[in-house]
Amino acid sequence: MKYIEKLQYITHDLPHLTHLEQTQLACEAGAKWIQYRCLSKTDEELLADINAIAEICDDWGTTLIVTDHIHLNGKADIQGFHVEDMDADFVALRKMVGNDITLGGSANNLENLIRLASEGADYAAFGPYSTTDTKPNDFPLLSIGSYSNGISHLKDLNIELPIIAVGGIKISDVEDLMETGIHGIAVSNAIYTADDFIEAYQDFYDAVKI
């Protein structure tokens, strides 16, 4: 089973912080997993971003995951991809990238989780937990019970799949979420909107690791 970090920071297009600046701050705070999420740039612009971010991640020993854009595999120092399309064929995607690349997928229900596991995904981002302006969508929100039940059903089916809670998670949510048995959480808004980015990241890190 591949290494999947318990606290994952997802970069976004922000007016006050570039993806590069977000990565630098997160790494300075101790981040070991950066998910670069940019759906607004050309391939040339993406690669410029990714190459610069990869240098920072290499310096700090941080895993770099790219949202979608699997066609960029092999063109930069990318350790993995997160595919947001819940209907994506992960069997085909695995053949495209090989076994060494980390592949994660998004899920909103138990059926999604089971399919991701059966098709070889390395982890699942399960959500949204709460409403978020960072990545608006129409999927139903998941409750603490949704996470507990999902973990329980996977155990009953002898399925081992690291579950990452995602979507509008605040520091006050972390303890209850981790008690459901999930592997970890992914966070953006609660960190980049904080008065102190690094302090906010470290607060989440401490809460997840307890």
Side-chain angles (χ1 to χ4, degrees):
M1 183 176 291
K2 294 186 179 72
Y3 163 76
I4 308 295
E5 171 62 11
K6 289 181 177 293
L7 179 56
Q8 303 180 3
Y9 180 77
I10 306 174
T11 72
H12 287 274
D13 291 332
L14 301 176
H16 65 295
L17 285 174
T18 66
H19 292 271
L20 194 65
E21 289 169 335
Q22 291 172 66
T23 300
Q24 181 67 43
L25 286 168
C27 286
E28 288 179 8
K32 293 304 176 187
W33 185 287
I34 296 291
Q35 182 182 329
Y36 171 74
R37 185 182 189 275
C38 181
L39 309 178
S40 63
K41 298 184 179 182
T42 65
D43 283 0
E44 183 178 358
E45 292 169 330
L46 289 169
L47 285 171
D49 255 6
I50 292 169
N51 283 323
I53 288 171
E55 287 188 14
I56 296 173
C57 289
D58 286 346
D59 287 343
W60 291 90
T62 301
T63 297
L64 173 58
I65 304 294
V66 172
T67 304
D68 298 338
H69 304 307
I70 283 191
H71 62 288
L72 298 180
N73 183 47
K75 296 182 179 180
D77 186 10
I78 301 168
Q79 284 79 57
F81 294 90
H82 182 87
V83 179
E84 294 186 337
D85 180 3
M86 295 187 193
D87 296 318
D89 183 346
F90 272 74
V91 174
L93 293 176
R94 176 61 69 192
K95 289 180 180 178
M96 287 175 58
V97 302
N99 292 325
D100 293 336
I101 292 293
T102 298
L103 271 182
S106 295
N108 182 247
N109 55 46
L110 180 61
E111 181 182 357
N112 296 152
L113 294 176
I114 293 172
R115 189 178 72 80
L116 285 172
S118 68
E119 293 188 0
D122 295 307
Y123 71 93
F126 195 30
Y129 172 71
S130 183
T131 54
T132 173
D133 294 328
T134 305
K135 181 188 165 187
N137 59 67
D138 297 324
F139 294 110
L141 299 181
L142 302 182
S143 65
I144 291 294
S146 301
Y147 288 94
S148 296
N149 291 337
I151 296 295
S152 178
H153 281 299
L154 292 181
K155 286 183 178 179
D156 290 343
L157 296 170
N158 293 315
I159 292 175
E160 293 187 16
L161 180 69
I163 304 300
I164 304 297
V166 64
I169 296 171
K170 298 179 177 60
I171 189 68
S172 57
D173 302 318
V174 176
E175 182 177 358
D176 287 343
L177 281 167
M178 294 302 295
E179 286 180 353
T180 67
I182 60 171
H183 181 77
I185 64 171
V187 185
S188 292
N189 185 278
I191 292 176
Y192 69 66
T193 60
D195 292 335
D196 187 318
F197 186 111
I198 291 178
E199 181 180 349
Y201 182 94
Q202 292 174 341
D203 286 345
F204 270 95
Y205 183 88
D206 291 341
V208 168
K209 296 292 182 177
I210 292 176

